[in-house]
Amino acid sequence: MKNSNETKEMMALFAQNPQKGFEQIYKSFAGPVFRYLRNSFNLSREEAEDILQTTFMPWVKEPAKFFNVENPAGYLFTSARNAALKFKKETGPDRNETNRSNTQQNRIDHKIENELMIKKALESLPDEQKETVVLKIWTDMTFEEIAELQKCSLPTVASRYRYAIAKLKELIPWTR
Amino acid sequence: MDKMNKDQFEKYLEENAPTEEPSVDVFNALQKQAIWNQPAPTSRLSISMIAAITIIIIASAIAFYAYSANPLPKEPVSEATYEELPTLPELQPAEIIAQNEDIFEMGAYKLIKFKNEDFNLSFAQDNSCTTMLGFARELNNI
């Protein structure tokens, strides 16, 4: 993801030329948000893509509303999170099994094996711990940013992260 | 600071981060809906709507200016009517006296007799009772 200067430049471009600015914003954040949705909420590809589209839709329909957003990453992750939680609430918990089978792919190589192993281990964690690990490790968010996103205190986030890492260490037979 | 504290396992997780990307269809769908790719509102319905609104505005303006040039005549407003008070002839003191002359000419007896029916006439005739002295004399006689 972008640092603060790059983010400022990107938002300035978005305000000047929404079409070009949006292309940059999408290129920077669509992937991380998509992976966050897939791994934190056990969503299928299609479901994650739908929510991703919902998340970005206001940015292309009414771009002027977002010209003054200072932290687009925080904004997009929060929007995606809210949409995912709403989706999970509406669909219920029974949908997870079918989605897991969707994640199985035919490409077998070492990295993919590791990815699948980590994904499976992540799925066994409580939702908040899983989300914290995904945000901390794979989107480079700070504990402060995660606390703001999850609307909880900093010690809570830190504690969730510690417990999650300890549990993953037990579940994943990792080697350097 | 967070990055410095990462242990080997966290680095392992980082190295094995998922690499999945959303399909191009998502971006294409967003571009299709984007405001910058929407055609200008030149449909037949839009044009007719704009024409109708313009006609209404022009008609209103004409009506307004026509009214301003020849304002409607004001209806005469009838003045508020005051209820006439009864006018009484102003009586002079002499006239008042003349009107009541009969009463002044009557003596005390006649006044009591004709003007106050409930009055005890026998008492009025008794001079001894007209003053306190007379009343005292009566008491002495007892």
Side-chain angles (χ1 to χ4, degrees), chain A residues 1-2 28-29 31-37 39-40 73 77 131-142 145-146 149, chain B residues 3 6 14 17-18:
Chain A
M1 290 210 289
K2 305 265 183 188
S28 301
F29 300 115
V33 171
F34 177 70
R35 291 189 285 276
Y36 163 64
L37 289 169
N39 296 294
S40 295
F77 274 95
E131 188 185 5
T132 308
V133 169
V134 169
L135 290 167
K136 185 77 184 72
I137 303 272
W138 292 337
T139 68
D140 268 349
M141 273 194 183
T142 62
E145 288 169 332
I146 298 170
L149 180 69
Chain B
K3 277 185 181 174
K6 279 181 182 170
E14 210 173 62

Side-chain angles (χ1 to χ4, degrees), chain A residues 19 26 35 38-39 45 49 52-53 60-61 111 114-115 117-118 136 138 140 161 169 174 176, chain B residues 2-3 7-10 12-13 15-23 26-27 29 33-36:
Chain A
Q19 188 172 2
Y26 186 84
R35 291 189 285 276
R38 286 276 281 145
N39 296 294
R45 254 196 94 79
E49 283 181 350
L52 186 72
Q53 192 172 328
V60 296
K61 282 200 161 180
K111 194 168 186 311
N114 280 348
E115 271 186 36
M117 193 165 57
I118 292 167
K136 185 77 184 72
W138 292 337
D140 268 349
Y161 181 74
K169 273 181 182 171
W174 67 288
R176 286 295 301 165
Chain B
D2 288 332
K3 277 185 181 174
D7 67 9
Q8 295 295 311
F9 180 69
E10 287 166 294
Y12 164 80
L13 290 177
E15 284 163 11
N16 289 288
T19 50
E20 239 182 338
E21 291 288 337
S23 70
V26 179
F27 183 73
Q33 294 282 322
I35 193 167
W36 48 83

Side-chain angles (χ1 to χ4, degrees), chain B residues 36-47:
Chain B
W36 48 83
N37 286 329
Q38 297 301 311
T42 52
S43 67
R44 196 172 289 176
L45 182 69
S46 305
I47 291 167

Side-chain angles (χ1 to χ4, degrees), chain A residues 36-44 47-48 51 79-97 99-100 122-131:
Chain A
Y36 163 64
L37 289 169
R38 286 276 281 145
N39 296 294
S40 295
F41 301 100
N42 293 349
L43 300 175
S44 71
E47 289 164 348
I51 293 174
S79 304
R81 184 175 195 265
N82 292 340
L85 290 174
K86 191 182 170 196
F87 174 80
K88 284 191 83 173
K89 200 177 172 185
E90 284 169 1
T91 51
D94 297 337
R95 35 168 295 289
N96 287 343
E97 289 304 319
N99 294 332
R100 278 179 198 159
L122 271 174
E123 281 171 4
S124 68
L125 295 178
D127 287 347
E128 292 84 8
Q129 289 184 16
K130 180 169 36 189
E131 188 185 5

